[in-house]
Amino acid sequence: MVYEHEHGHEHGPVGDLSRIEAIRDRGVHRAGEHEGPFSLHVVGLGKAGANVIERLVSDPPEGFLSDPRTSFSALAIDIGDQELRPIRESAGRLPADRAQVRTVALPILDRASLFGGLRRYREFLKMEYPRYYWNPNYEPWLPSDIPLPAAGEHFPRALAKAIYGVEYYQGRAVAEELDAFARRVAASEAMPIVCVIFGLAGGTGSGIVVELARHLSNIKLGRRAWVLGVGILPCEGDPDYTRDGVFFPAINELDCMVDAEKNKGVMAVWGDLYKNPFTAGFFAVPQNVVYDHTGDLAATHERIDAGLAAFVYDHTGDLAATHERIDAGLAAFLARDNSTHLYETLKLLNWLNVPADRWHPAVRAEQGERWLNLLAVGFDDAQPLGGLDLAGPVSSDYAEARLFGPAETLTEQRAARVREETAKTVKTAVEPGALTFPSTGQAETTLFVPHVSKLDLAAFVPAREAYDRLDWDEKLLRHSWLLDLGVLLCEPSTRFEGMGGECILGCACWVVVPHAAIRGEINPAVRV
């Protein structure tokens, strides 16, 4: 394997220029008459994911389910029921014959039930895949005296994983609902697109997603459907626990899933069930582009959720407004016009990723170290765009804005302003694109920037520094993926010098990924 990284934040374009020009000038990624319709299927995890679903079903965006051949299914999963009740209350607004909206409130298990289930984990994993090594030294990865939070409180990632796993492997409600969700996807008359939405710096969503995405995509769907990961980046106004180092293991676990070279290093030890589950790619949603102007976290969330369902336009000037606007923006992007905008963005990404000598629309492209694709929603394009939650200017193949609103708002001046603001942060091989779409309601904009790396994110280095200040037990609680296999991903291997994945269960577990690559400190062209 070859791991390479260019130090700094500026990268050369990945794709060849002629292909990028074909996107801008000929619109090769636009859906033709032979493509579609598309059906949307959403799994929302934790508070962030549940809020996007709630926004989508309570205020459906323009064009959602307008084609009678389309269908919709949503599954919201959280620990406790607080964030799920509004979803059930709003679900009745959608046509019952074409929409299925379900929720699962994972229980806060008592200590005996939790650790009783964890002690059976070797049995669960052995049934799941024969390659599992039966470790005679296995013990539950959680400390026996770990505090068990109440519903609505913060759950560490390692604890959220444990609660989900105990419930899933014992065939309880979450397993049954995942089966029902997968059946809906498989039965869709229209082309299904599956989105898994969660917060990248929380506890519940980011702790559950690393297992749930594997179970859903690699097992229940058999990698047949497009599965898109959508992670909402931390915001400056978010609670302190989002800045306590948790983002570092969360983004690195995803990095070792989605980056094809690193993922091969995981599969070399643990097998194909750990193949990247995000077959359609991974989108990261910045929040500070909204928060910088509103100072309101809730409005940012709402606007992103609705802009992945519908946008909120007014500036409230407080943190709550930020979340609201993010939620609204994200929901609108995902669902409006029967998910055509989502499909075309995925097609654009696939076009950029597949090598020119073997490009075909049906080929699913592998992701490299620049696997993150920024999707900015919910912002006011009349305001400065800001840094898109990046540590500095980056170079990318292309950037594309989509402008919506009444015809009189879709002016060349507005498009030029968006292109100009984008160019301040993103250097592209050709001028950023700006597509316009007449719609009812007020003007709204989305911006897609493909191919950035984890090192480009403004949150990465501060999270690594915060993680390094933690003691060992605190580091463990911020991990999730591979803990049941005895691997602490972000720590150095105890078996092979220079590799990642400390063994925590007295065995010889590891991953074939350089520890420096996990930390983002790899030297150019390090070969293993």
Side-chain angles (χ1 to χ4, degrees), residues 132-474:
Y132 174 68
Y133 163 70
W134 187 271
N135 178 10
N137 300 312
Y138 171 82
E139 294 180 358
W141 62 85
L142 292 176
S144 59
D145 60 349
I146 183 172
L148 300 180
E153 295 180 350
H154 174 63
F155 282 75
R157 297 183 71 231
L159 177 56
K161 171 196 176 78
I163 292 172
Y164 167 80
V166 168
E167 291 293 291
Y168 173 84
Y169 284 117
Q170 296 187 103
R172 293 173 181 162
V174 70
E176 294 174 354
E177 291 295 346
L178 277 177
D179 284 334
F181 181 87
R183 288 194 296 270
R184 287 275 300 186
V185 174
S188 174
E189 178 182 348
M191 174 184 167
I193 303 174
V194 180
C195 300
V196 182
I197 306 173
F198 61 100
L200 279 165
T204 300
S206 71
I208 290 173
V209 71
V210 291
E211 299 302 331
L212 181 142
R214 177 171 71 87
H215 293 150
L216 178 63
S217 182
N218 295 349
I219 298 175
K220 298 187 182 300
L221 294 176
R223 302 184 65 81
R224 292 181 297 273
W226 270 5
V227 177
L228 173 69
V230 181
I232 298 175
L233 288 163
C235 174
E236 291 176 1
D238 277 329
D240 290 344
Y241 62 73
T242 64
R243 292 182 295 278
D244 66 358
V246 67
F247 181 71
F248 183 66
I251 200 69
N252 279 319
E253 290 172 3
L254 293 165
D255 187 37
C256 288
M257 287 183 185
V258 187
D259 180 342
E261 285 299 312
K262 295 186 182 77
N263 188 237
K264 290 173 185 175
V266 175
M267 289 192 295
V269 181
W270 298 110
D272 289 349
L273 282 184
Y274 288 85
K275 188 176 180 66
N276 170 28
F278 299 112
T279 54
F282 195 95
F283 291 178
V285 180
Q287 296 194 81
N288 287 310
V289 66
V290 175
Y291 183 68
D292 288 346
H293 299 306
T294 67
D296 184 325
L297 190 61
T300 297
H301 285 179
E302 180 175 335
R303 192 166 182 182
I304 284 191
D305 290 354
L308 275 179
F311 287 87
V312 175
Y313 305 94
D314 59 316
H315 296 295
T316 66
D318 61 40
L319 200 59
T322 300
H323 285 178
E324 292 171 359
R325 291 166 62 179
I326 295 287
D327 294 348
L330 190 50
F333 171 80
L334 292 179
R336 73 183 310 147
D337 297 329
N338 292 310
S339 299
T340 298
H341 303 284
L342 170 61
Y343 171 78
E344 290 182 348
T345 303
L346 294 177
K347 189 177 176 184
L348 181 156
L349 182 60
N350 208 50
W351 178 273
L352 290 174
N353 286 344
V354 176
D357 60 354
R358 59 185 180 92
W359 189 89
H360 186 277
V363 173
R364 292 192 184 175
E366 287 190 337
Q367 309 289 316
E369 70 169 15
R370 302 198 313 170
W371 54 273
L372 280 159
N373 306 284
L374 295 182
L375 177 68
V377 299
F379 62 94
D380 181 349
D381 62 32
Q383 300 285 341
L385 189 59
L388 290 174
D389 290 6
L390 298 169
V394 300
S395 292
S396 183
D397 312 78
Y398 189 56
E400 181 175 272
R402 292 183 174 235
L403 284 63
F404 303 90
E408 63 271 18
T409 70
L410 302 177
T411 63
E412 175 54 33
Q413 291 86 347
R414 180 182 166 197
R417 184 174 63 244
V418 173
R419 286 193 294 264
E420 181 181 356
E421 282 297 316
T422 302
K424 293 177 182 178
T425 300
V426 184
K427 298 180 180 179
T428 52
V430 300
E431 184 181 46
L435 305 179
T436 57
F437 303 91
S439 64
T440 60
Q442 299 187 50
E444 51 196 84
T445 302
T446 65
L447 176 64
F448 182 69
V449 180
H451 296 154
V452 302
S453 81
K454 65 183 183 182
L455 300 187
D456 293 321
L457 298 176
F460 183 79
V461 171
R464 183 175 65 194
E465 293 172 347
Y467 174 85
D468 288 344
R469 292 192 292 268
L470 301 173
D471 63 34
W472 191 90
D473 289 336
E474 292 171 328

